[in-house]
């Protein structure tokens, strides 16, 4: 039957996008097209509702910005003039260019640049990884997000599964640290509210009065990058006041004495000066944390995106060990739960060869460095690099390089796409097969295609497999087909085979640790000795001044304001950003505006040594004075000069994990 006369159908599937919640979905399809999405109840966290962004996804799937066929650039780089070509010509050209670069300059002159994409196991780190490994391409360190939190969580606990978000209803104290779930993981909010109704206390650590901060018993409006001082002061207070759980530490931890020593200088007064939080509030928090149980910390990502990010996250994660908060339902911490699954890497083939490592935060600089060897072919997929990478001016200058051959493979005509030599159209998650594990919820989904891709869009696994073949790099036994790939990813252990059986039965399966593990009862650190390492040697060596060493605020007289760029409920990173209409203003506290003679609606210039943004001004007293905000994920069209917060983000790195320091941007603002 042709699609147009097919009866409407309703499918269960799931959302794999970069979000902790991993919603299970109900999708209505008519004539081969998605017409409506809603949450279903298979994932207990989803509770039948979804965010408004994903509800609007049909506008992305069938909107005018969707890429429908391969295209070749005909205008200047950045101009956005392209002409349609066939897949055969596009892949032929790309394969020839990759082969030539490898031959002439070596595999390391090829840079595969990718990040979130659809965030599933079949569309990244699969056939793509195999191709680039065999080419000997440069190794991309994926550090725009979660590399500081990830390193800290691995170093201290071996990425032990965290407290299930649904178990927070059992907590008496909830600490929401550096995350704004009202935008970035909405299903957590009603859980916190339910716990509050049952008497739980709420503390929020955030430079902004987020919606949850406004409902909190204590809002600690930390200066961006000040969390390390705060956490160390609480650790010191717990030790000094007899609230450290010495028995737990003796039995389950290493490095407690060393941590105590490093925290010793962090009196409440000193931490107040470094963090911008009143000394009484720090002490009130420490007392609350000592007294209440079960106590749980939801650690987010806002606190990692600065020079102290790795140490700050480590200190925050050390708190439940020092305070003895583990071992009860609703007690402990939650960071990313992505480590709850161990997919079988061998499905992809041979391991990664050791090639030169490129930190993705240095993309601009790397593209502008023309030796050792220069990047000759840049292959961007699963990423809108120009919108999401720091040091945007340099990234743009790099993308403008005439001798650089750039492939952009995406669903829509992103800002980055305008700089492509060849553009490839990708399918979206409702159009291809995917395996999506949650990083908040302890569930994994098998995500089957429910709609037909528009135009000639093709899935990553197909395109990278075909490129591998065209380059003659395929080998007997390569798994290319997504069904075979998924089987193999879930084949290496009894745990994984149980997950697979669950997927076969219901399309959704629990993590091997179950849906609601209790830390130090059901799960233990995945370190070699099963203990918490409070001062892990590897992290201590990696941090330039040692773990837990505080680096002062980078503000200068010329750039005194801290610019943060958190997520909003309108985009996922920059995904869906093209659907957002109108300009987006800078937000500033009224006191900072008054000091500069600025008012609501003014047109302002925001600048530092990396770049300049021109946009409107909105006064917002939810911000701490000294902190200004322009959200992440904006597109060029959202400001007057086509630059976004990333033009002001430094290419500096966090102390551990080489993470982006978006929130270390320091700026000045004046009327434009
Ligand atoms: N709607 C939506 N959902 C998303 C995303 C999205 O873009 N949109 N992104 C997804 C992704 S990729 C991620 S990584 C997660 C991120 O989710 P979150 O952890 O919520 O991350 P952010 O939005 O970056 O920042 C969260 C909060 O940190 C605060 N903050 C900034 N600097 C600091 C600091 O130095 N210390 C402290 N304590 N707080 C600070 C900000 O004011 C903000 O309220 O969300 C995921 N979910
Ligand atoms: N200023 C500032 N910038 C930030 C941050 C910040 O806090 N401040 N946060 C950062 C964070 S948390 C993150 S995670 C990064 C995210 O950085 P990116 O991963 O670059 O972010 P997205 O905007 O989600 O881009 C993903 C792109 O992949 C495409 N895509 C989706 N699925 C597929 C697929 O199956 N195949 C192909 N070929 N393409 C696909 C989408 O259309 C989209 O354009 O951004 C970072 N950027
Ligand atoms: Mo992220």
């Amino acid at each position: 039957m042709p699609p147009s006369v097919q009866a409407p159908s309703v499918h269960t599937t799931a959302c794999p996008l970069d979000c902790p919640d991993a919603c299970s979905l109900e999708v209505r399809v008519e004539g081969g097209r998605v017409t409506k999405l809603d949450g279903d109840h298979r994932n207990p966290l989803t509770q039948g509702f979804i965010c408004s962004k994903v509800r609007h996804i049909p506008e992305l799937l069938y909107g005018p910005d969707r890429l429908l066929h391969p295209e070749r650039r005909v205008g200047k780089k950045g101009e956005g003039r392209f002409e349609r070509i066939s897949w055969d010509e596009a892949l032929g050209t790309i394969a020839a260019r990759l082969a030539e670069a490898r031959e002439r300059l070596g595999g390391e002159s090829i840079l595969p640049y990718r990040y979130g994409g659809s965030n599933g196991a079949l569309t990244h780190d699969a056939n793509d990884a195999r191709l680039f490994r065999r080419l000997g391409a440069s190794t991309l360190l994926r550090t725009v997000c979660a590399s500081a939190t990830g390193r800290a969580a691995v170093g201290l606990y071996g990425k032990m599964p965290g407290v299930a978000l649904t178990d927070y209803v059992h907590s008496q104290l909830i600490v929401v640290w550096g995350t704004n779930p009202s935008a970035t993981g909405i299903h957590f909010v009603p859980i916190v509210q339910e716990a509050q109704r049952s008497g739980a206390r709420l503390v929020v650590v955030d430079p902004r009065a987020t919606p949850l901060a406004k409902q909190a018993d204590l809002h600690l409006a930390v200066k961006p990058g000040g969390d390390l001082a705060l956490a160390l002061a609480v650790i010191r207070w717990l030790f000094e006041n007899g609230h450290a759980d010495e028995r737990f530490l003796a039995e389950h931890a290493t490095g407690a004495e060393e941590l105590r020593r490093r925290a010793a200088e962090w009196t409440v007064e000193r931490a107040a000066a470094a963090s911008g939080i009143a000394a009484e509030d720090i002490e009130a928090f420490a007392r609350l944390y000592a007294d209440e149980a079960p106590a749980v910390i939801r650690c987010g990502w806002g606190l990692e995106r600065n020079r102290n990010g790795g140490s700050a996250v480590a200190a925050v994660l050390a708190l439940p060990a020092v305070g003895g908060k583990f071992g009860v339902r609703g007690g402990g911490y939650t960071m990313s739960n992505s480590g709850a699954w161990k997919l079988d890497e061998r499905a992809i083939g041979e391991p990664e060869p050791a090639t030169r490592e490129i930190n993705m935060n240095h993309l601009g600089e790397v593209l502008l460095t023309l030796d050792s060897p220069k990047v000759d072919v840049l292959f961007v997929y699963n990423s809108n690099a120009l919108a999401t990478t720091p040091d945007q001016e340099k990234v743009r200058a790099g993308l403008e390089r005439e001798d650089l051959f750039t492939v952009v493979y995406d669903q829509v005509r992103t800002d980055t796409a305008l700089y492509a030599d060849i553009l490839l159209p990708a399918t979206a998650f409702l159009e291809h097969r995917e395996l999506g594990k949650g990083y908040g919820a302890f569930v994994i989904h098998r995500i089957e295609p429910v709609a037909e891709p528009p135009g000639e869009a093709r899935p990553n696994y197909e395109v990278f497999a075909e490129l591998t073949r065209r380059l003659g790099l395929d080998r007997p036994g390569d798994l290319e087909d997504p069904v075979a790939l998924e089987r193999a990813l879930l084949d290496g252990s009894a745990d994984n085979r149980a997950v697979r059986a669950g997927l076969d039965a219901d399309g959704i399966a629990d993590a091997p640790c179950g849906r609601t593990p209790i830390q130090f009862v059901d799960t233990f650190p995945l370190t070699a000795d099963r203990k918490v390492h409070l001062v892990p040697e590897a992290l201590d060596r990696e941090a330039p001044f040692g773990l837990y060493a505080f680096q002062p605020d980078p503000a200068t007289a010329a750039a005194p304001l801290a610019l943060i760029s958190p997520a909003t409920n309108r985009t996922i990173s920059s995904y869906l950003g093209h659907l957002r209409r109108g300009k987006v203003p800078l937000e500033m506290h009224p006191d900072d505006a008054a000091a500069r003679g600025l008012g609501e609606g003014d047109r302002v210039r925001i600048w530092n040594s990396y770049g300049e943004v021109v946009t409107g001004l909105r006064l917002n007293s939810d911000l701490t004075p000294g902190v200004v905000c322009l959200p992440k994920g904006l597109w060029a069209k959202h400001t007057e000069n086509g630059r976004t917060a990333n033009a002001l983000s430094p290419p500096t790195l966090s102390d551990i994990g080489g993470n982006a320091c978006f929130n270390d941007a320091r700026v000045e603002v004046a009327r434009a």
Side-chain angles (χ1 to χ4, degrees), residues 330-363:
Y333 73 86
T334 314
M335 189 64 256
S336 167
N337 282 328
S338 64
W341 291 266
K342 304 262 173 293
L343 301 187
D344 198 345
E345 263 274 303
R346 286 170 311 172
I348 303 159
E350 66 284 352
E352 194 142 16
T355 60
R356 88 163 144 173
E357 295 182 338
I358 291 180
N359 185 310
M360 68 193 298
N361 295 312
H362 296 155
L363 176 66

Side-chain angles (χ1 to χ4, degrees), residues 108-361:
E108 291 182 342
S109 67
I110 299 164
L111 179 62
Y113 191 92
R114 73 271 186 210
Y115 195 75
S118 294
N119 222 35
L122 303 181
T123 55
H124 78 167
D125 290 342
N127 294 351
D128 53 330
R130 188 192 294 138
L131 168 67
F132 292 113
R133 286 176 190 186
R134 289 187 188 162
L135 280 165
S138 283
T139 301
L140 186 78
L141 302 180
R142 277 177 288 175
T143 47
V144 284
C145 173
S147 55
T149 47
R151 286 282 291 153
V154 168
L156 270 74
Y157 294 94
K159 262 200 149 184
M160 167 172 68
V163 177
L165 299 178
T166 46
D167 266 350
Y168 280 50
V169 293
H170 302 288
S171 310
Q172 277 304 303
L173 173 65
I174 296 176
V175 183
V176 172
W177 202 315
T179 177
N180 176 26
S182 304
T184 59
I186 57 173
H187 298 90
F188 180 50
V189 175
I191 297 172
V192 173
Q193 289 164 340
E194 188 185 334
Q196 284 188 291
R197 281 194 298 275
S198 312
R201 316 288 294 273
L202 175 65
V203 177
V204 174
V205 187
D206 201 297
R208 301 185 296 166
T210 58
L212 274 186
K214 289 180 185 170
Q215 299 169 20
D217 298 281
L218 192 58
H219 171 208
L220 303 175
V222 66
K223 276 203 254 181
D227 306 87
L228 175 59
L230 170 63
L232 289 175
V234 177
I235 288 170
R236 177 185 188 274
W237 191 94
L238 293 172
F239 274 118
E240 295 296 304
N241 293 282
H243 292 290
D245 187 339
E246 305 287 356
R247 248 189 53 204
F248 175 88
L249 291 172
E251 197 177 332
H252 291 290
T254 67
E257 260 321 298
E258 185 57 21
L259 173 62
R260 179 182 190 151
R261 208 178 58 73
R262 293 186 192 200
E265 59 185 300
W266 287 99
T267 59
V268 163
E269 292 71 28
R270 179 154 182 240
S275 68
I277 302 168
E280 315 80 84
D281 286 347
I282 299 179
E283 198 163 327
F285 173 39
R287 200 175 295 282
L288 206 55
Y289 192 69
D291 289 349
E292 298 289 340
V296 66
I297 299 174
R298 174 38 160 163
C299 183
W301 292 267
L303 68 159
E304 79 173 348
R305 313 196 199 289
N306 66 74
R307 67 217 177 270
N308 293 320
S311 287
V313 174
V316 169
L317 298 187
L319 279 168
V322 175
K325 299 300 178 185
F326 290 117
V328 287
R329 189 168 294 285
Y333 73 86
T334 314
M335 189 64 256
S336 167
N337 282 328
S338 64
W341 291 266
K342 304 262 173 293
L343 301 187
D344 198 345
E345 263 274 303
R346 286 170 311 172
I348 303 159
E350 66 284 352
E352 194 142 16
T355 60
R356 88 163 144 173
E357 295 182 338
I358 291 180
N359 185 310
M360 68 193 298
N361 295 312

